[in-house]
């Protein structure tokens, strides 16, 4: 593995889905090296949502019961909760977004709505969106992008307090399970059905730049965006696909069906997990494999891979385990947590790994 840090700094330890707006999945902080439980919390529904972490360490995680919890990072106790009503989400791992000023944006499961909450849990504003929202993202804390399950992408501008406005909204016309990814330079990506779609944020509207469909079955995950502009597409077919910013194919790599969004580190690596229980570490430059970690079948990986600053990596399995693996490939821990893990894990600044399971528990390991 490279000796450089796998992640790049953000305004809080883990402010959004897969750490940042590129879905790097990687942080500058170190993760745990032993599988010791720090705390466990049972919520009112399955925890498919990926946790996020604010600047003060507060852990935000939603349940499929339609409740967002603000958890104390030391104990897991509620600092506050917000009950949106309804519920749903099934196994779709979405996350809230913590802005630099501490405002929390959350899409309640089963609702066509984005809710903004203060750090104290007070509703600041709500914004209808065309479908059930996926994880909102922002590169600068002011322009927000949110996709939804109808294939819509909405751009919002937010300010202090209840100040917000819809800048534009586009309909990509298909079913989508993806969260938007962007570097904040005007280009963003989403997936619909089996296609990867590039959008340009231009003036008063969002414009489709190109659409690529490798014909490799439906995609149920978000893309990953490398610092050099390479964008990854995972599908329910047999390969991982990488495209250049102009839409041309850069490389393709074999794997099996994946429900795991790729994590694309700051130093040129992509971590891709699949239903065969394999984590492939691919070089963004050419798709070659830097490392492979194989679990004994039939252990499927649906969670994404979280990477710490030293290239340790972490993920959950459908047989109810959470694993930590060293850069050498040695297993640091293999902890049974009880329920299947659909949730995308998060890493905190004080070396904890936080993840949810389908039984309804949130677990902090560290």
């Amino acid at each position: 593995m490279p000796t450089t840090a796998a992640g790049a700094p953000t305004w809080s330890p883990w402010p959004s889905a897969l750490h940042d707006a590129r879905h790097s999945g990687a942080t500058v902080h170190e993760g745990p090296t032993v599988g010791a439980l720090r705390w466990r919390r049972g919520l009112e529904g399955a925890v498919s949502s990926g946790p996020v972490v604010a600047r003060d360490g507060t852990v935000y995680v939603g349940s499929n019961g339609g409740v967002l919890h603000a958890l104390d990072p030391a104990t897991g106790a509620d600092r506050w909760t917000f009950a949106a009503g309804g519920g749903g989400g099934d196994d779709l791992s979405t996350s809230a977004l913590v802005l630099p000023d501490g405002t929390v944006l959350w899409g309640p499961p089963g609702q066509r709505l984005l809710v903004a909450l203060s750090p104290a849990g007070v509703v600041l504003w709500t914004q209808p969106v065309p479908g059930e929202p996926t994880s909102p993202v922002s590169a600068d804390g002011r322009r927000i992008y949110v996709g939804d399950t109808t294939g819509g992408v909405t751009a919002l501008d937010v300010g202090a307090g209840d100040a917000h406005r819809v800048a534009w909204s586009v309909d990509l016309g298909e079913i989508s399970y993806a969260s938007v990814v962007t570097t904040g330079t005007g280009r963003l990506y989403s997936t619909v059905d089996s296609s990867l779609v590039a959008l340009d944020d231009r003036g008063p509207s969002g414009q489709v730049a190109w659409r690529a469909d490798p014909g490799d079955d439906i995609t149920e995950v978000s893309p990953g965006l490398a610092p050099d502009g390479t964008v990854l597409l995972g599908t329910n077919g047999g390969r991982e696909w990488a495209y250049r910013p102009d839409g041309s194919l850069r490389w393709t790599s074999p794997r099996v069906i994946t429900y795991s969004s790729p994590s694309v580190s700051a130093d040129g690596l992509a971590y891709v997990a699949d239903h065969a229980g394999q984590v492939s570490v691919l070089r963004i430059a050419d798709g070659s494999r830097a490392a492979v970690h194989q679990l004994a079948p039939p252990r499927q990986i649906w969670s994404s891979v979280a990477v710490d600053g030293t290239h340790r990596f972490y993920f959950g399995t459908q047989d109810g385990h959470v694993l930590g693996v060293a850069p050498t490939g040695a297993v640091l821990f293999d902890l049974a947590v009880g329920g299947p893990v659909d949730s995308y894990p998060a890493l905190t600044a004080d070396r904890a790994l936080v993840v949810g399971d389908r039984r309804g528990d949130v677990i902090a390991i560290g």
Side-chain angles (χ1 to χ4, degrees), residues 40-318:
R40 180 192 293 265
R41 270 294 310 279
L43 304 188
E44 56 286 315
V47 182
S48 295
S49 296
V52 297
V53 184
R55 195 190 305 270
D56 66 356
T58 301
V59 176
Y60 295 101
V61 62
S63 76
N64 289 8
V67 180
L68 180 68
H69 293 255
L71 303 178
D72 184 291
T75 66
D78 283 325
R79 289 181 167 172
W80 53 261
T81 61
F82 171 71
D90 299 319
D91 57 15
L92 183 62
S93 185
T94 58
S95 299
L97 168 65
V98 183
L99 298 180
D101 66 359
T103 299
V104 182
L105 303 183
W106 182 53
Q111 300 195 36
R112 301 186 172 199
L113 193 69
L114 192 66
V115 180
L117 299 140
S118 76
V122 177
V123 176
L124 301 174
W125 51 263
T126 61
Q127 176 62 51
V129 291
E132 184 176 346
T134 53
S135 304
V137 301
S138 179
D140 61 7
R142 298 184 298 274
R143 174 58 63 96
I144 313 299
Y145 301 107
V146 59
D148 66 65
T149 52
T150 68
V153 175
T154 301
L156 299 98
D157 291 322
V158 300
D162 62 355
H164 74 286
R165 71 176 187 92
V166 174
W168 50 260
S169 184
V170 296
D171 181 6
L172 302 180
E174 304 286 348
I175 296 173
S176 176
Y177 302 103
S179 302
V180 174
V181 294
T182 182
T183 59
T185 56
R187 169 61 63 84
L188 52 148
Y189 298 91
S190 187
T191 65
V192 289
D193 198 18
S194 56
S195 299
L196 174 68
V197 182
L199 288 162
D200 287 329
D201 187 347
R202 293 182 177 174
S205 64
Q207 300 176 6
V208 174
W210 50 263
R211 183 185 298 247
D213 191 334
D216 196 29
D217 212 343
I218 192 171
T219 179
E220 296 193 42
V221 297
S222 305
L225 182 57
D228 68 356
T230 301
V231 59
L232 267 64
L233 173 68
T235 72
N236 286 9
R239 306 189 74 83
E240 192 78 14
W241 303 82
Y243 292 88
R244 298 181 182 91
D246 64 3
S248 61
L249 182 65
R250 184 167 189 180
W251 51 259
T252 180
S253 178
R255 53 146 184 77
V256 302
I257 181 174
T258 184
Y259 290 168
S260 173
S261 297
S263 297
V264 185
S265 72
D267 51 7
L269 296 175
Y271 291 75
V272 179
D274 64 27
H275 277 38
Q278 184 175 98
V279 178
S280 299
V281 186
L282 307 175
R283 297 181 181 91
I284 290 296
D286 57 11
S288 62
R289 297 193 178 199
V292 177
H293 185 75
Q294 178 68 62
L295 300 178
R299 300 183 73 182
Q300 296 184 357
I301 305 169
W302 290 17
S303 88
S304 194
V305 180
V307 186
D308 83 352
T310 68
H311 293 88
R312 300 182 188 103
F313 60 94
Y314 308 87
F315 57 91
T317 66
Q318 285 296 291

